[in-house]
Amino acid sequence: MNDDVKQSGATVMVVDDAPTNRYAMGAVLRRAGHHVVPVASAGEALSELDVRLRAGALPDVALVDVGLPDMSGFELCRRVKSMPSTASLPVVHFSATAVDAKDRCRGLDAGADAFLPVPAEPREIQAVVHAAVRRARRRTDAEALAHRLTLLSQVIITVQTARCLGELADAAAAGASRLTETPAVVFVIGPDGEAHHGTSRSRLALSDAGPHQAAARLITRIADRRAGVHSTVVPAPLWPKGLFRPGVQDDARLVLASAQEGRAQVCIATPASAAPSRGAGNCATSHDGPADDRRPFAAFPAERLAQATALAAEPLLMYQAERDIALTLQHSFLPQPHRLPDLPGVDLVVRYVPASRQTEIGGDFYAALPTRDGVLTAVGDVVGHSLDAATVMVEIRHALRAYCVEESDPRALAERLDRMLLHYHPKVTATVCLTLLDPGTGRVRIANAGHIPPVILRDGGRAEYVRVCGPLLGLALDRPEPVELVLHREDRLLMVTDGLIETRGVDLTTSMEQLRTAAAGAPPGLDALCDSLLGCFGHDREDDIAMLALRLG
């Protein structure tokens, strides 16, 4: 007999229309330590099950007489097993008359778990009940295990799709709360000590950052950078009050994990009173290494989730470091408006808007350079999103600065940039639009290498794209002659990268027409033009935005 069943007993519903039989069966079961619920008919049994179901206290097993007055025990079993809420209830048929093989098979076909001929020895009755309860509990445990593993896999998938460390901590906290059915807080701590936290509670209720900062400092002191998982219980006086539940001082069970590289330390914190722990009292306890069969399964999901979160944090930390380097490059090598060179005869405005931290690094750039033949302007974009793209962007811009000392023709400069890219970065392509403006005459020569062409805004609110095209840089293809036009004093010339208007699922031609229409309706002036277009198109963009607008001074 199962020791758990012996120690805790079971609740047994005995369904028999004969009072003496109910009493005798009940006496045997009570002597074995079980709680007995006697009922006299199938209808009474169904009513009792309904009441107990609403109370969340179904019996552990039902002993059902085959020959009930209102419906057979077989039909009662069939009804019980047909309802999802009671289908897992073990049913044992018993009878003093229907004891042949046909009757036993009929009971099993109806869904019964066993058949007991009576009269029967007390030990046999007890053994049948123990066996039925043991099988039911194991089946329930197996179903619970499968459910928790399925839930764990769903939570881990959500964690692995996080795009930044803050989003990762939030996803892990929500998942930990679902797995443990308690409030949860998750901390992701980088190698520099910067902590990102996520909580399963509403952030509106956690406007005070003090408790989170205090908890992060405590975790940093407790944690080490060794790979693997270990856990500890922090007594309530040391854990910030109200972090799990408003105004409540809780002991905290911390599950800490570090990936193999050791860059990210992850801590999943839940109330210790509702989570499994080793040891007793307020003394902190810990264990190392992976989960094993000797410890409660309830501890496993938090450990597995902590491991998965630490693994997911590693590439995000690397990406964040890479992005910071790329942004430093971009900000260092793209001149800010107040640092643009003095360009006599030309008014010039630039805008540069990096993509949000959740998106990838771009290679957009702009340039405005004085040459012996006028003012050279350029707007371009290295194809791809990475630190490499940002690095190549810097090389292209510096190469352009060097080349225009001796050469100012846009087509010749595009050819030189094309050869440079082929020589040093044969797998990289880029787009660029180059314009050379003579401030004295307004004459403009334009060469395009796969980029969005410039927009000319004429007096009277007209806006049109310059019909200029050419192949991308990095393909070693012939380039057409530049397009020439004259810029009048009231005209404005606008150059942008596709990050301003490109939208996933929308044809670029449609987006370009929307840009042309918006530019035609923009207020006068260069600053007003750029700000108006950023207001129309520059929200929640997945790519960097570079914009340059000019007119004769």
Side-chain angles (χ1 to χ4, degrees), residues 108 179 233 242 287 367 383 405 422 460 468 501:
L108 295 174
L179 288 167
V233 175
H287 69 268
V383 177
V405 172
L422 281 166
V468 57
I501 59 172

Side-chain angles (χ1 to χ4, degrees), residues 103-119:
D103 295 316
R104 292 195 299 272
C105 291
R106 187 180 175 190
L108 295 174
D109 289 340
D113 295 81
F115 195 101
L116 179 68
V118 293

Side-chain angles (χ1 to χ4, degrees), residues 343-372:
L343 302 170
V346 176
D347 292 339
L348 182 74
V349 167
V350 296
R351 296 286 189 272
Y352 185 83
V353 182
S356 65
R357 294 186 67 87
Q358 285 75 29
T359 54
E360 298 184 17
I361 305 159
D364 295 33
F365 66 94
Y366 60 81
L369 304 165
T371 73
R372 62 190 180 191

Side-chain angles (χ1 to χ4, degrees), residues 34 47 57 120 127 135 153 175 223 253 269 281 327 336 339 390 421 444 516:
H34 302 303
S47 298
R135 286 195 300 269
S153 65
R253 180 176 186 268
L327 288 175
Q336 301 304 305
R339 295 172 53 196
L421 206 57
V444 184
R516 188 196 67 77

Side-chain angles (χ1 to χ4, degrees), residues 399-421:
L400 181 62
R401 287 168 58 89
Y403 294 153
C404 74
V405 172
E406 300 294 336
E407 177 63 72
S408 60
D409 180 67
R411 177 189 178 188
L413 290 171
E415 289 174 341
R416 289 193 179 189
L417 292 174
D418 184 60
R419 291 195 297 271
M420 184 277 290
L421 206 57

Side-chain angles (χ1 to χ4, degrees), residues 369-389:
L369 304 165
T371 73
R372 62 190 180 191
D373 298 315
V375 174
L376 179 74
T377 59
V379 169
D381 184 9
V382 177
V383 177
H385 297 83
S386 65
L387 178 58
D388 289 340

